[in-house]
Amino acid sequence: MQDKLHPTVKFAYGAGVMGGAMTTNILAFFALFFLTNVAGLDPALAGSVLLVGNIWDAFNDPLIGTLSDRCDRFLPPNIIHRWGKRYPWMLAGGISLGIAFFLVWFIPPFEKDWQMFAYYSFVAILFFSAYTSVMLPASALAPELTRDYDERTSLMSFRSAFSIGGGMCGLLLAKSIFAVMATGPERYLVLGAIGGMFAIVPTYFSIWGTYPRFQKVRYQQPPQDAKRLPFKQQVKTILSNRPYLLVIGIYLCSWLAAQLTASILPYFVVNWMKLSENHLVQAAIAVQGTALAAVFGWSVIGRRFGKKIVYLLGVPLWLIAQVGLLLLQPDSVGWMYFFAVMVGIGLSTAYLVPWSMFPDVVDYDELLTGERREGIFYGFTVFLEKLGTAIALFLVGRILAIAGFISIPRGETAPPPQPESAMLAIRLIISPLPAILLIFGLILAYFYPISREVYQEIYLKLMARRRGEEREWDLGSWDSGIGRRKRKRKS
C-alpha cells in the first residue's frame, strides 16, 4: 500500500507533542521533590496531590476522547467542516497548558498544610485538563493522517523523537536555570514561567503543519454511515479487542516503570548518591539524549523486522540497567551514568513501539465494528495510564512516609539526614519495582499478533468494504492473527 507522508507533515505532527512532553517530563522528575523539599509538604500529602491530579487526568481522558469523537453534535457545523474533530481541542488547550504549568511552581502564602494541599490539587486538575485537551486529540490524529503500516512506524518515530527531545529541552532548561540560581524556590518559579511559554508554541505549529494533509486525506475518504454504538457497547467492544488489550498492557508496563524511576530519581541522586541536583539533571539528560539518538535507529530496525522485535530487543537492555541501579554505591558515579545510557537505549523502544501499534489496533476495531473511534481508544489508553500513574506516585509518597523520610522544612535548603529505612525504600522503588513491570511488558509483547502481513490483510479488507464489495465481517475467532473471515456479499 502506498500512502507516503511528506517529511514536513511528520515533522509537524511530531512537534505537536513537544510542549506536553517538556512539561510532563519536568513534572515527572521534579514535582514530588518540589512539593516535599521546596513547598515543605509531608511526603504522604505530596503523594496525595499527585494522586488527585492523576486520577482527575485519568477520568478526563476518556471523557475528552469521547467528546472529541462526537463534537460534531455540539459544535457548529461550519467549525467541524473546517477543523474536523481534533483541532478545535488543540486550539483551545494550547495557551491553557502554558498558564497551568506556571501555576504548578508557584508557592502560595498559605500557612496550613490543608490550604497548600487544596491549592496544588486544584492546579494539578487545571494542568491535566489542559494537557489532555491538547495531547489526546493530537495523538488521535495519527490514524487520520495515514493508513500505511510502515508510514505509521515512521510517523511515530518523529513523535517519539520530539517527545524525547521535548523532555530533554525541559531538563536542559532546568539545568540552565539551576546553574544560574543555585538555591531558593524562585528558580522553580522561573522554570515554570519559561517552560510554560515554550509549551504553547509547538501545539500551534503542529496544527499549521498537519492541517493541509488532514484536509486532503479527509476528502479522499468516503463518509461513513455506520450506526453509533452506545458508550457501554463501545467499552465492551474495546475490551474484547485482544490486540488492544495487549498493546495497552505493553504500554502501561513501560510507562509505569519509567514514571516510578523518574519520580524517585531525585531522591536517589541527592539522598543515596550524595550528589547535587545538577547531577540529577545530567543523569536525566543522559537517559533522554540516548533515547533520542536511538529512536531513529530502532525505527529502521522496525521497518525491517517489525515492531514487536524492536521492543523485545530494546527493553532487556533497560531491564539490566534497572537492576544495576540497586547495586550502585555512593562512589559509583561513573556507573550511574553508564546505566543511564543503557536505560535510554531501551526506553526509546517504549516511546516508539506501543504508539506505533495503536493505529493498527484502531483499524482492526473498524473492521470488527464498522466504526472509527480513535478518540475513545486513545482516551481509554491514557485513562488507564494516568490511573496507574496516580496510584504508583501515591504509593511512592506513602512508602517514603512510612519509611520515615524527612522533608526539608519550608524556607530551608539543606537536606536533613535520612534514616536507613528511607534509604532502603528509595533503592527498592528505583530498581525491583520497575524491573518487574518490564518483565511483564516483555511477556505481553511476545504474544502481540498484528504483524506487517496481518495488517496488510486488515487494510485490504477495509478497502474492500469501502468499495462496497463486502457488507459484514465476523472476526470473533482469532486465526493467524486477524480471525476467521465470514462475509456476506452485497446482494
Side-chain angles (χ1 to χ4, degrees):
M1 61 193 94
Q2 297 293 326
D3 188 22
K4 300 299 182 183
L5 292 174
H6 195 277
T8 56
V9 176
K10 298 178 183 180
F11 186 89
Y13 176 78
V17 306
M18 192 170 182
M22 174 186 292
T23 54
T24 53
N25 202 49
I26 293 174
L27 287 173
F29 282 103
F30 295 108
L32 188 60
F33 189 77
F34 168 81
L35 291 174
T36 59
N37 286 26
V38 180
L41 287 178
D42 177 79
L45 207 56
S48 298
V49 169
L50 300 180
L51 177 69
V52 170
N54 281 280
I55 283 183
W56 166 253
D57 196 19
F59 282 96
N60 79 28
D61 282 321
L63 173 63
I64 291 179
T66 302
L67 290 176
S68 71
D69 278 342
R70 301 183 177 184
C71 62
D72 55 334
R73 296 184 176 185
F74 54 85
L75 287 180
N78 61 319
I79 293 180
I80 295 298
H81 177 75
R82 181 177 180 182
W83 294 106
K85 298 179 180 180
R86 317 300 174 194
Y87 289 115
W89 294 91
M90 298 169 66
L91 287 166
I95 294 177
S96 302
L97 179 64
I99 295 173
F101 182 71
F102 168 75
L103 294 176
V104 169
W105 310 101
F106 175 75
I107 301 179
F110 299 144
E111 296 182 357
K112 297 181 179 180
D113 283 347
W114 72 266
Q115 293 174 320
M116 298 287 286
F117 172 79
Y119 170 79
Y120 285 115
S121 297
F122 171 76
V123 171
I125 290 172
L126 182 64
F127 171 81
F128 284 118
S129 298
Y131 174 83
T132 301
S133 297
V134 172
M135 298 297 291
L136 194 150
S139 297
L141 275 175
E144 299 177 5
L145 294 178
T146 179
R147 291 185 177 275
D148 186 271
Y149 179 89
D150 289 321
E151 279 296 283
R152 285 175 171 176
T153 302
S154 178
L155 186 65
M156 288 303 137
S157 70
F158 277 82
R159 183 189 189 280
S160 301
F162 274 99
S163 181
I164 299 169
M168 277 192 64
C169 288
L171 294 172
L172 289 171
L173 176 62
K175 178 178 173 61
S176 302
I177 293 172
F178 292 171
V180 176
M181 307 172 68
T183 60
E186 294 81 9
R187 57 184 179 159
Y188 285 97
L189 194 62
V190 173
L191 176 63
I194 299 177
M197 288 188 291
F198 279 115
I200 294 173
V201 176
T203 300
Y204 297 104
F205 174 78
S206 179
I207 294 172
W208 172 81
T210 60
Y211 182 72
R213 168 68 184 183
F214 167 77
Q215 289 288 76
K216 177 182 178 182
V217 172
R218 184 170 67 164
Y219 289 126
Q220 287 177 346
Q221 296 176 357
Q224 299 182 41
D225 298 324
K227 182 180 179 180
R228 291 186 185 272
L229 296 175
F231 181 77
K232 290 183 179 180
Q233 186 63 36
Q234 289 184 15
V235 176
K236 182 179 179 180
T237 302
I238 286 172
L239 294 181
S240 66
N241 187 321
R242 180 172 175 259
Y244 173 71
L245 296 179
L246 289 170
V247 173
I248 62 172
I250 295 166
Y251 178 62
L252 288 177
C253 287
S254 305
W255 175 259
L256 293 179
Q259 288 296 302
L260 283 174
T261 304
S263 65
I264 203 66
L265 186 61
Y267 302 95
F268 183 79
V269 172
V270 173
N271 296 104
W272 174 251
M273 298 296 292
K274 310 297 183 185
L275 300 172
S276 67
E277 291 178 40
N278 192 48
H279 279 279
L280 160 65
V281 177
Q282 291 176 179
I285 290 174
V287 173
Q288 300 285 339
T290 305
L292 179 61
V295 69
F296 286 105
W298 286 122
S299 178
V300 173
I301 296 174
R303 292 173 72 90
R304 176 66 178 85
F305 297 103
K307 303 168 186 179
K308 180 167 74 173
I309 297 299
V310 168
Y311 191 87
L312 295 177
L313 289 174
V315 169
L317 296 174
W318 181 5
L319 177 61
I320 293 171
Q322 208 74 45
V323 174
L325 291 174
L326 182 64
L327 306 176
L328 279 183
Q329 298 300 312
D331 58 348
S332 305
V333 180
W335 279 104
M336 182 184 75
Y337 284 106
F338 174 76
F339 288 136
V341 170
M342 285 187 65
V343 169
I345 296 173
L347 179 64
S348 61
T349 65
Y351 277 101
L352 173 64
V353 173
W355 282 108
S356 66
M357 291 175 171
F358 278 120
D360 303 338
V361 171
V362 170
D363 281 348
Y364 175 73
D365 175 71
E366 182 185 355
L367 194 58
L368 286 173
T369 66
E371 292 279 328
R372 291 295 296 181
R373 294 193 299 267
E374 292 92 343
I376 195 68
F377 266 95
Y378 284 92
F380 271 97
T381 299
V382 184
F383 166 76
L384 295 175
E385 167 204 315
K386 298 301 171 57
L387 185 61
T389 301
I391 296 172
L393 295 180
F394 172 74
L395 290 177
V396 169
R398 294 298 302 176
I399 291 171
L400 289 177
I402 293 171
F405 182 86
I406 303 172
S407 299
I408 298 178
R410 203 175 305 169
E412 298 185 15
T413 57
Q418 298 294 337
E420 288 297 323
S421 57
M423 304 298 273
L424 177 61
I426 290 170
R427 297 175 68 201
L428 292 177
I429 294 171
I430 204 171
S431 184
L433 293 182
I436 292 171
L437 288 168
L438 293 178
I439 291 172
F440 277 111
L442 287 169
I443 294 172
L444 295 174
Y446 177 79
F447 290 101
Y448 178 72
I450 301 182
S451 62
R452 178 183 292 105
E453 293 75 19
V454 170
Y455 179 74
Q456 287 174 344
E457 187 171 351
I458 292 172
Y459 176 83
L460 292 175
K461 290 177 179 179
L462 284 175
M463 294 301 101
R465 168 185 286 168
R466 291 183 177 183
R467 291 192 299 267
E469 297 176 8
E470 304 195 23
R471 299 183 58 186
E472 183 176 334
W473 299 87
D474 182 4
L475 299 175
S477 60
W478 198 258
D479 180 20
S480 300
I482 83 169
R484 187 179 304 279
R485 182 181 68 183
K486 297 178 182 179
R487 58 182 175 178
K488 298 179 180 179
R489 294 193 176 274
K490 190 174 182 180
S491 57

